[in-house]
Amino acid sequence: MSRPPLALRALPPEGASHAFGQPGGVMRRRDFAALGLSGLALPALAQDTPFDKLTEAFLEALWLLDADAAVAAGRFEFAPKITLPDTGQRALMKAYLQRSLEDFERVPEASLTVSQRMDRALLIGKIRSDLWRLYTLREWAWNPSEHNPAGPLDLLLNTDYAPLPERLTALKPRVAALPAYYRAAQASLSGVTREHTELAIQQAPGVISVLDDIARRAAEAGQAAAWRVPLAQARAAVQGYVAHLKRLLPTAKRAWRLGAELYEPKFAHDIQSARSARETYELALQRREEVLASMQVQAAALWPTVIGSEAAPADRFALIGRVISKLSERHVARERFVDEIRAQIPQLEAWVRDHDLLTQDASKPLSVRETPVYQRGVAGASIEAPGAYRPQDRTYYNVTPLDELSPAEAESSLREYNHWILQILNIHEAIPGHYTQLVYANRVPSKVKALFGNGAMVEGWAVYGERMMIESGYGASPEMTLMWGKWHLRSVTNTILDYSVHVLGMARKDALDLLVRQAFQTEREAAEKWRRVQLTSVQLTSYFSGYSEIFALREQLKARPGYSLKAFHEAFLSYGNAPVRLIAAEMLKA
Ligand code: ZN
Ligand code: ZN
């Protein structure tokens, strides 16, 4: 839920970007001295039960072994140390993960509360996933863009956690380690893909621009001279890495498609669904047919008033596409974009309250703001929540104004986020979607769920929330139903696309046809999605996978005595960011 690291901003987010379950390594507390980190101030531990102690020790050791993961979690005292992507680091992690896995597996289930049982399942899942990534997926060898130091540098420079001179002092050893970082990265690579190598080359200017930012801030703080040499060496290291990657390109032959053998286990680790990837894909095909059939009915009914007396095309996609395109002309003026989003938040709050959908917490208002300039890069809107260790920080709804776009680009964005879709976007990102879910999750005092929470649950809730709002009568009109269909079809299509491309070998032209003609997306959106599916795998299935499991759970519970929609929502959210499969098991037990 944090904002995307700079290096990832080359990839378009789907609504928000939610960085969950970062793979990371850990180390025992007794190894602190060996790392030379024994002097670090550690926060007071919550030592309520043996399980809590074990968990705290696991996390603290994790941060010691993987300072980059610590910084991402908001533990900024780890700023000076960088995580080197080398063999020694991977061996330490493997050993520690294996020992920790045994520790957590040995904890008797019966001694735990429901929340602790879910934490234990999440931790065991995370450790198994990390081990699988390290030694089976081995992305560190074939994906050169895995090795990118910009994210933590950017976060540490631009988060106001301490006065600037102090932040610069803390950053200096990290920057000085960049030559060693890139040497380790280079030595790790073998059998790379062309696509990920090109991505790493494209991202290099982003790394340089963060170094430029550091130079600028150092000058502001009167430290320009002291930074000249480390920054020059860091820039040279980035350029050296790029030169190495360019030498690798002619022989870069690894297939970027994951293939069934890696896809199913990756899906099982990342999504934690009760279903297999194949079953989820088949369910998405079925859902797609339902959605298209409903959209066809809406579009046919709207045709005479929206298009006029012209005969409607017999082709389903042509019919729906024409009506959507015409309706998209209704949108807010570009200079009103941010204000309009700000104005809708209280309306959504009121709707959720008046229709008794769930209880909201008035003491935690959402601040809508223009995305800070240094975070811009992709247009759109996203929830920016503080890291697990910084609950005192505010939650923002960042909206990027359209000021910097050309008139044609702005028009394209405004048609995409037209009168109806803009409301659905706010439902997804804010109320009752990500923001509302986050307020509930924060009441569960579990760092494990905050740190390693399940992305499919989080995205699935937001997608479920869209449907639930439409069902409650929000914005009721054939136009809204049709536009929601288009938006919903995007989640469904993401799953179909990801599986088809990585497992079934779908060609580029078929993928673009699926997105543009059959899912009514713009050429630009489709091109970005094709790029994303080449560079990532499985994450695109999280939206539909989570949604379909939440919806199925609700339908199962509906038949029970005492069921109410509000009670279902509040009970579901009370478990925090746990996999839907585990929440469902608890709720069906009761
Ligand atoms: Zn227009
Ligand atoms: Zn989302």
Short mmCIF file of all heavy atoms in Angstrom, two decimals, residues 329 331 411 415, ligand 1:
data_model
loop_
_atom_site.label_atom_id
_atom_site.label_comp_id
_atom_site.label_asym_id
_atom_site.label_seq_id
_atom_site.Cartn_x
_atom_site.Cartn_y
_atom_site.Cartn_z
N GLU A 329 -17.54 10.65 -23.38
CA GLU A 329 -17.41 12.09 -23.61
C GLU A 329 -17.85 12.89 -22.39
O GLU A 329 -17.49 14.06 -22.26
CB GLU A 329 -18.24 12.50 -24.84
CG GLU A 329 -17.64 12.00 -26.14
CD GLU A 329 -18.57 12.22 -27.33
OE1 GLU A 329 -19.58 12.93 -27.19
OE2 GLU A 329 -18.27 11.64 -28.40
N HIS A 331 -17.31 13.88 -18.98
CA HIS A 331 -16.26 13.83 -17.96
C HIS A 331 -16.04 15.22 -17.39
O HIS A 331 -16.48 16.23 -17.95
CB HIS A 331 -14.95 13.29 -18.54
CG HIS A 331 -14.44 14.07 -19.71
ND1 HIS A 331 -13.90 15.32 -19.58
CD2 HIS A 331 -14.40 13.78 -21.04
CE1 HIS A 331 -13.54 15.77 -20.77
NE2 HIS A 331 -13.83 14.87 -21.67
N GLU A 411 -7.26 14.60 -22.52
CA GLU A 411 -8.57 14.17 -23.00
C GLU A 411 -8.70 12.65 -22.89
O GLU A 411 -9.73 12.13 -22.46
CB GLU A 411 -8.77 14.65 -24.45
CG GLU A 411 -10.07 14.20 -25.11
CD GLU A 411 -11.33 14.74 -24.43
OE1 GLU A 411 -11.25 15.71 -23.64
OE2 GLU A 411 -12.41 14.16 -24.68
N ARG A 415 -11.45 10.80 -20.58
CA ARG A 415 -12.42 9.85 -21.14
C ARG A 415 -12.34 8.53 -20.39
O ARG A 415 -13.35 7.90 -20.12
CB ARG A 415 -12.17 9.63 -22.63
CG ARG A 415 -12.58 10.81 -23.51
CD ARG A 415 -12.20 10.55 -24.96
NE ARG A 415 -12.82 9.31 -25.44
CZ ARG A 415 -13.97 9.26 -26.12
NH1 ARG A 415 -14.61 10.36 -26.40
NH2 ARG A 415 -14.45 8.10 -26.51
ZN ZN B 1 -13.73 15.36 -23.69
#
